Amino acid sequence: VQRLLLAMIGSIVVIGALAWWDEQRNSEAGLAELGDDQYAAASAAAASVAPDLAGTAFPERAARHLHALQRDGVRVFLVAPGAQSALALDGSSVALPHLAPGARVLRLGRDEAPVVGLPPRTAMVGVADAPSGWRVVVAASAERQRDRDSAGLARLLLSMGVATGLVAIFGGIALARQRTQLELAQRLAVAEAARARDAELERLSKAATMAAVASGVAHELSTPLGVIVGRAEQIRDRAADERTQKAAHAILEQAANVDEVVRGFLGLARGAPIALQEVAPAKLVAEAAELVAHRFARAGVTLATPIAADLPAIRCEPLLFKHALVNLLLNAVDASPAGSTVTLDVSRAGAEVAFVVTDDGEGITPAAAARAKEPFFTTKGHGTGLGLAIAHEIASTHRGTLSIGPRPTRGTEASISIPAGPHA
Ligand SMILES: Nc1ncnc2c1ncn2[C@@H]1O[C@H](COP(=O)(O)OP(=O)(O)OP(=O)(O)O)[C@@H](O)[C@H]1O
Ligand SMILES: [Mg+2]
């Protein structure tokens, strides 16, 4: 806006200069016209007094007659045949500047005009020949012309002033508006930054709460778990029949699993490093599928795992990683209608191996997808909202990523990508 303002003022100045130059030219033209008028007046006067002009004696009668032409700013003279100077109408001699034989129009400067009794302004003089050899001279001050010029100049200055004023007012308004807009944008940016900071603080505090909850749960579970293990061992040792012994074995196995998962979560919450092993993706997928088999059976949903046989082993903490896959599979089965199929596929993409779970459910909304990894974000009445948050933590500890979003056609796709193992 400032540059625009400068450009407009610049063009006003240029227009002003052009107009001034034009005025100047006009006034030259005006002076030339004034000269022509005086020549015409002198010619007419010469014609009217021609009978009284003869010889070289001062023509009293003609002078008296010409007197009527003189008024303010106009002087009339006679020039005797062959004379170099003019005669005023009272017979006195006047050294009329620039008077030369054959001259018709003379121009007198502001310091020459007083010589012929005119005010100190440019004057135009017409010189007309009479048949007798006398010449009649009419000199007129350019006073009126000058007045017209200065009026023109005043008009010009006034219109330039008005134009500049208008530009300044509108430019000022535009500038003020721009400044308000800028201030508004700044205030919005500050508010946006504050909002982003609050959101980040909230996320951090939720993550901290999650870690605290995980530690609390792990701590509280250790006592009942100890009791379960102790009693199961008693049953195993005392059981007479093989079936009971097998059942006790299964309880102890699952209890050991729970213990390990709990320890794993505690480690995650503490940020402890994890122990990596090389595992075949197909094995991980099969074990995860087994863990969720009863949930799929209950929901009447099929789980397909079309895993390629030639996939490289990945380095991971198997229990934790399996748990992350289980969380994706449980979300998929929760969203799936009975009779549909959920697919867990593994594919190699460059230096990464991706575990991709797709379902044919309602699909996740973009808004829910954006928040799905937040701890405690859930749209389910019975959900904790921790499933994806934990899976995300597990993916991050494996230097991988978790992503979730709607599929183009129908349903949801959730995937965990981690770097392929060193032997890949
Ligand atoms: N396959 C999916 N289809 C549709 N929405 C999904 C899917 N997976 C996740 N979501 C959405 O993401 C939210 C968060 O998932 P997350 O697993 O973290 O929690 P949850 O499943 O609600 O609770 P919990 O895991 O404790 O059962 C879900 O509530 C749901 O809105
Ligand atoms: Mg879940």
Side-chain angles (χ1 to χ4, degrees), residues 327 330-331 334 380 387-388:
N327 281 347
L330 289 180
N331 282 346
D334 276 350
K380 302 173 189 169
L388 288 181

Side-chain angles (χ1 to χ4, degrees), residues 213-224 262 266:
V213 167
S215 320
V217 167
H219 182 259
E220 295 308 314
L221 278 185
S222 65
T223 313
V262 164
L266 265 179

Side-chain angles (χ1 to χ4, degrees), residues 3-47:
R3 231 178 294 154
L4 192 74
L5 211 64
L6 279 180
M8 285 179 83
I9 290 174
S11 37
I12 286 176
V13 168
V14 170
I15 289 170
L18 282 175
W20 183 77
W21 175 72
D22 192 49
E23 283 285 339
Q24 221 41 25
R25 249 190 25 190
N26 270 345
S27 101
E28 274 307 311
L31 282 177
E33 204 178 311
L34 186 68
D36 289 345
D37 288 350
Q38 300 325 304
Y39 176 70
S43 300

Side-chain angles (χ1 to χ4, degrees), residues 331-332 335 359 363-364 372 377-380 383-389 404 412:
N331 282 346
D359 65 57
I364 189 167
F377 173 79
T378 180
T379 58
K380 302 173 189 169
T384 65
L386 288 174
L388 288 181
I404 183 164
T412 304

Side-chain angles (χ1 to χ4, degrees), residues 281-282 284-285 288-289 296 302-308 311 314 321 324-333 341-349 352-360 388 395 401-408 410-418:
L284 286 168
V285 168
F296 275 73
T302 312
L303 175 58
T305 54
I307 314 280
L311 282 168
I314 58 161
F321 199 79
L325 295 181
V326 162
N327 281 347
L328 300 192
L329 290 171
L330 289 180
N331 282 346
V333 73
T341 301
V342 167
T343 307
L344 166 52
D345 202 356
V346 185
S347 61
R348 175 86 190 268
E352 303 224 300
V353 177
F355 293 75
V356 185
V357 176
T358 49
D359 65 57
D360 281 336
L388 288 181
T401 52
L402 184 156
S403 54
I404 183 164
R407 294 168 69 195
R410 179 181 167 74
T412 304
E413 176 177 306
S415 67
I416 294 178
S417 296
I418 65 167

